[in-house]
Amino acid sequence: MATSRPAKATAEGRAGRALAYLESAKNLTGSACALGGLALTFTGSAGAYWPVVVAGLYGAGALIAPPTRPPAPRFPDPTSRLDGLRKDFTTLREYLTQVDLPPAATERLDSIRELLDGLLAPGWVSEALAQDPEGIHVLARAVHRDLPESVDTYVRTRWWTRMAPGGQDPEEELVRQLTLLQGEMAGLVAGLREAEEIRQQTHTRYLEDRGTESTYGTGTAPGT
C-alpha cells in the first residue's frame, strides 16, 4: 500500500502535465497549423508527403507560440507596510512615555520623533517614501529595533551602574546613540528632498527646451 501511493501520485502528475500541455498555447497553435496542413492535403497540394507536412506545420506552430508564463508573485504594496509601521510607531511612543530619560537624551528623542511623525504622516510625503524601499527599511529598523534597544539598554545599564558605580556613563552612551539615529533620519529626509529637487529641476529643463523649440508667437512659420 505504501509503494502504491507514490506511483499513484506520479501518474496523477503526468496526467496533469499532459492536460496542461493540451490546453497550452503551443498545442493550440500547433494544432491550428496542422489543420492548415490537412486542408492542403485535401486540396492535393501536399501530395504523398502530407504526414510530413502536417507534422512539420504542427511543430512550427508549437515553436512560434509564446511559452506558458506563470503568474508573477504579488507582494504587499509599500503603502501597506507604512500602515503597519505607523501602528508600531504608536506603540513605541507609548513605551517611550513610560521611561524616565535625561534631558539631553529627551531632546534628541523628541527631534527623532518629530522626523518620524513627518515621514509617517498619511499624505504625499508618505507616498514619496513608499517609492523608496531603502527608506522604508531605515524607518522600520529605527522603530522596531534601534530606538527600543537604545532606550532599553540604557535603563538596564543605569540600574547596574547604580549597583556598581564606575565605567562608561550610560547617559552619554544613550545620547551618542540617539545622535547617530537623528543623523540617519535627517539623512533620509535630505534624500527625499533631493529627489524632489531633481524632479523640479527636470521639469524646469523640460519647459526651457519646449520654449526653445516652440515657434508660436514668433511670427515664424514652422519649418522655416
Side-chain angles (χ1 to χ4, degrees):
M1 181 66 68
T3 57
S4 62
R5 291 180 179 177
K8 182 179 179 181
T10 302
E12 291 177 351
R14 291 174 179 173
R17 288 193 295 270
L19 181 60
Y21 179 76
L22 290 176
E23 298 175 347
S24 67
K26 285 182 174 294
N27 181 57
L28 295 177
T29 305
S31 299
C33 293
L35 288 176
L38 289 176
L40 293 176
T41 300
F42 293 144
T43 60
S45 301
Y49 299 99
W50 68 268
V52 178
V53 172
V54 172
L57 288 174
Y58 176 87
L63 287 175
I64 64 175
T68 302
R69 183 181 63 85
R74 295 184 178 274
F75 299 104
D77 187 79
T79 55
S80 63
R81 291 190 59 189
L82 288 177
D83 291 338
L85 197 53
R86 292 187 188 100
K87 296 179 181 179
D88 295 340
F89 181 51
T90 300
T91 302
L92 177 62
R93 290 173 67 99
E94 294 173 354
Y95 161 72
L96 294 176
T97 59
Q98 303 173 24
V99 182
D100 182 23
L101 298 176
T106 301
E107 181 181 353
R108 298 289 192 284
L109 191 58
D110 288 343
S111 177
I112 294 174
R113 283 189 292 200
E114 289 179 4
L115 291 172
L116 289 173
D117 280 332
L119 289 170
L120 292 174
W124 66 270
V125 175
S126 60
E127 291 174 359
L129 179 62
Q131 305 305 316
D132 182 10
E134 180 61 27
I136 297 177
H137 172 70
V138 170
L139 286 186
R141 183 176 59 194
V143 172
H144 295 155
R145 188 184 67 185
D146 293 338
L147 285 172
E149 181 71 9
S150 295
V151 173
D152 185 57
T153 53
Y154 163 75
V155 173
R156 289 186 281 116
T157 306
R158 180 181 58 179
W159 185 85
W160 286 111
T161 302
R162 291 173 180 173
M163 295 288 292
Q168 182 68 35
D169 185 355
E171 178 179 340
E172 293 180 359
E173 197 70 20
L174 175 62
V175 171
R176 181 181 178 187
Q177 292 174 357
L178 294 179
T179 301
L180 292 172
L181 289 173
Q182 181 182 2
E184 192 173 43
M185 294 298 103
L188 176 58
V189 173
L192 294 172
R193 182 203 63 203
E194 182 180 358
E196 293 298 334
E197 289 176 349
I198 293 175
R199 178 184 177 188
Q200 184 183 34
Q201 293 167 4
T202 300
H203 188 59
T204 300
R205 288 193 297 270
Y206 162 72
L207 293 176
E208 291 174 346
D209 294 341
R210 191 177 68 181
T212 303
E213 297 173 357
S214 176
T215 58
Y216 293 104
T218 62
T220 304
T224 60

